[in-house]
Amino acid sequence: MGCVIREPGSSVRNRTASWRVFAPNVDRSKCVKCLLCWVFCPEGAIEIDEDGFTKVNYTYCKGCGICANECPPKAITMVK
Amino acid sequence: MIRRLALPTNYAVAYAVKSCDVDVIAAYPITPQTAVVEKLSEFVADGELDAEFIAAESEHSALSAVVGASAVGARVFTATSSQGLALMHEVLFIASSMRLPIVMAIANRTLSMPLNIHNDHQDMMASRDCGWVQMYVSSAQEAHDSIIQSYRLAERSDILVPVCVCYDGFVLSHTYEPVIVREKDEVMEYLPRIDRPNILDPDRPITMGIMALPDHTYEFKYQLVDALTKVPKALEEVDKEFEKRFNVSYGLYEEYMMEDAEVLLIAMGAMASTAKVAIDRLRSRGVKVGLFRPRLYRPIPIDSWREAFMKAKVLAVVDRAIGFGGVGGPLFNDIAALFANDRDRPLILNFIAGIGGRDVTVKELIDMINMSFKVIERGYVDKPCIYYGVRGLEV
Amino acid sequence: MIEVRWHGRGGQGVVTAAELLASAAVIEGKWAQAFPSFGAERRGAPVQAYTRINDKPIFDRSFIYEPDVVVVVDQSLLEADVRGVLQGIKPNGKLIVNTNYSPQVLAKKLKYEGEVATVDATSIAIEVLGRPIVNTAMLGAVIKSIRVVELPSVLKVLEARFKGAIADRNVKALIRAFENTAMEVVKVD
């Protein structure tokens, strides 16, 4: 009613991984933990592991490639 | 050399505007209209169209800019949809009461909420009393040709009323289909430049945008009423001239299989095109059904409509807009009002359909027609307005 | 009249493919319609597009529910929603899929009986265009399978739509897919 969705967080059911052609792959030996990829990811699909490195949530990553484009040390590559 | 291209209606409109050699275009992008002004800005940038292109900061500004440009005598164009048209609302009345021959294209789109870019006629229906001439078309070719006719109609010294050409968003705006493009030299012969008496010109000073009090406003408004009553005949003439040059005419409305029709389906825009397929199927089984598609919706050609509708037993009026809190949809209200003082008249059923871009299928139109025949058997209408196809609603 | 329903994902050029096919029919003097069915336009989301081709004017402006031809531009759509993709396909219809399976293997997987055409358009696109934009390759597969327009008309349309090297590469992708499309009438026993 009133164009309202009453259930918070219902978008987690939309597993957008199926949109992907290429997936980002993080090379931890190059990652400097700057977290720019985490800032820029439009889907919130970048997470931070206990060591402070970024890792990709492949359930939701749409493969847009913005993270790889923004990564200063080029630690992220897009692979099929 | 005839150019027959596959174009979506948005581009068909842009090509027509280019052939009409407009001087000023002011617009703001909104889906599903955006491609019209994108194409036009491309024509201007490539030197194919010598026009001033104003990328306005809103639709309110876009229409205000073309009001100003039209006031100094320029041939002008703008286009919009939905929320954009709603934002123009106050300027619509200024344009018509100032009697400016503006032409606007409208890719019809539903109004929010929910946010939806798809098609129904709610946007224009919310503005239908703004004093503009309003045409609804049902193909890209008709849109292309109607833009050209609109300038000819609007600029006539006995009319001087702004015109908008409405076409269904996505269903027409984004559908590629064959269009014969009218070439500029031929269009300019059909559409010569006319010296308008009432323009802002330092050599002939006049005042525009006046204030008036209760003792004059009514008469000014009546002048617009009077001009609109002349539009049906003027459009017929404009259409006949067009036919002489381009071998095609559209009339004020389209009649299809109306001879001996007991049920008359009345619908505007793209769904009227689909309705022909439904009617063909039923006619092949001997069902007496016809279609009436209003093309000129404002002003209503009252006498012709009445005459066309009187022969049927049931009028099935399909509205692609909702008359919230009223008796039915806007087209239904107009048609019901036609017969306000008649004792003998057809029964009138109102179907609301195609809201928010919901597809209107051949099957559904056949179903509506069948429901209308049941009304003939019954002899009365208990519920005139049917919200057809709402999930979970029994009809 | 021939009705084609295209299934793909946003960014793969499905809508453009539907338009190019219609445009080719129009320059042959036929009547055609091509239109998209969008949700929200976004790369990767499932998208449908429609093409109708006829030798006289087309009045039906509703979506296509009973297609003569279903074109699947992205194989993952078959895995995600096989019933949705095949919905309403006519008994004598054609299924044209971008996959590296043979028609026989694919039909068995889908338990689908009828005329099937397959081509590995993704590999062709990556090789020829350098990107997985498979629309022109799939268009080659479509005209190979349904011969509703002539190859030269489609090439003419492609050359008008794209410029220079991009046009050349798309023509190459289309012709390669045209040559490599496998067709078979598959019976499920």
Side-chain angles (χ1 to χ4, degrees), chain C residues 103-118:
Chain C
Q104 196 64 283
V105 173
L106 180 81
K108 287 245 171 2
K109 273 186 175 303
L110 300 175
K111 297 190 177 61
Y112 178 80
E113 202 166 78
E115 203 162 341
V116 181
T118 62

Side-chain angles (χ1 to χ4, degrees), chain C:
Chain C
M1 179 152 71
I2 283 203
E3 295 184 311
V4 183
R5 192 173 66 206
W6 302 74
H7 294 262
R9 292 185 180 279
Q12 294 174 328
V14 184
V15 177
T16 305
E19 285 163 14
L20 291 168
L21 182 60
S23 302
V26 169
I27 63 169
E28 289 182 1
K30 297 185 175 87
W31 273 265
Q33 247 186 25
F35 56 101
S37 158
F38 286 118
E41 293 78 344
R42 49 196 182 193
R43 190 169 287 271
V47 171
Q48 283 182 30
Y50 309 94
T51 309
R52 285 189 174 101
I53 295 175
N54 201 359
D55 45 21
K56 50 184 198 283
I58 301 165
F59 293 110
D60 193 343
R61 297 187 172 278
S62 58
F63 300 160
I64 293 173
Y65 298 96
E66 291 171 354
D68 301 288
V69 182
V70 169
V71 186
V72 185
V73 173
D74 188 312
Q75 196 185 331
S76 69
L77 290 164
L78 279 172
E79 289 146 24
D81 180 22
V82 67
R83 283 186 47 214
V85 171
L86 297 175
Q87 199 167 31
I89 187 167
K90 289 204 178 104
N92 56 350
K94 280 197 176 72
L95 175 64
I96 305 168
V97 185
N98 170 17
T99 173
N100 50 17
Y101 293 128
S102 70
Q104 196 64 283
V105 173
L106 180 81
K108 287 245 171 2
K109 273 186 175 303
L110 300 175
K111 297 190 177 61
Y112 178 80
E113 202 166 78
E115 203 162 341
V116 181
T118 62
V119 66
D120 186 357
T122 305
S123 298
I124 292 172
I126 287 176
E127 193 182 328
V128 179
L129 306 169
R131 296 197 299 168
I133 299 177
V134 293
N135 56 348
T136 43
M138 282 312 284
L139 192 55
V142 170
I143 55 172
K144 170 80 167 278
S145 336
I146 62 172
R147 293 290 167 142
V148 64
V149 291
E150 298 300 322
L151 185 59
S153 317
V154 181
L155 298 184
K156 209 152 121 189
V157 166
L158 268 187
E159 278 153 6
R161 179 85 180 225
F162 301 107
K163 298 280 177 283
I166 296 174
D168 296 344
R169 284 204 288 269
N170 275 292
V171 165
K172 203 168 144 188
L174 191 143
I175 290 172
R176 186 167 305 176
F178 183 89
E179 287 165 348
N180 286 298
T181 301
M183 292 185 288
E184 221 172 305
V185 179
V186 186
K187 285 257 186 295
V188 175
D189 25 60

Side-chain angles (χ1 to χ4, degrees), chain B residues 245-259:
Chain B
R245 195 171 292 275
F246 301 106
N247 301 320
V248 59
S249 73
Y250 298 95
L252 308 183
Y253 43 82
E254 183 181 3
E255 296 177 294
Y256 188 72
M257 303 269 179
M258 280 183 47
E259 204 55 48

Side-chain angles (χ1 to χ4, degrees), chain B residues 4 6 117-118 138-139 170 172 174-178 270 273-274 276-277 359-362, chain C residues 19 23 26 29-36 38-39 41 58-63 65 161:
Chain B
R4 185 176 182 264
I117 55 175
H118 292 274
S138 73
S139 72
F170 287 104
L172 288 172
H174 285 61
T175 297
Y176 277 69
E177 56 184 86
S273 174
T274 305
K276 286 183 184 175
V277 181
D359 198 19
V360 182
T361 66
V362 173
Chain C
E19 285 163 14
S23 302
V26 169
K30 297 185 175 87
W31 273 265
Q33 247 186 25
F35 56 101
F38 286 118
E41 293 78 344
I58 301 165
F59 293 110
D60 193 343
R61 297 187 172 278
S62 58
F63 300 160
Y65 298 96
R161 179 85 180 225

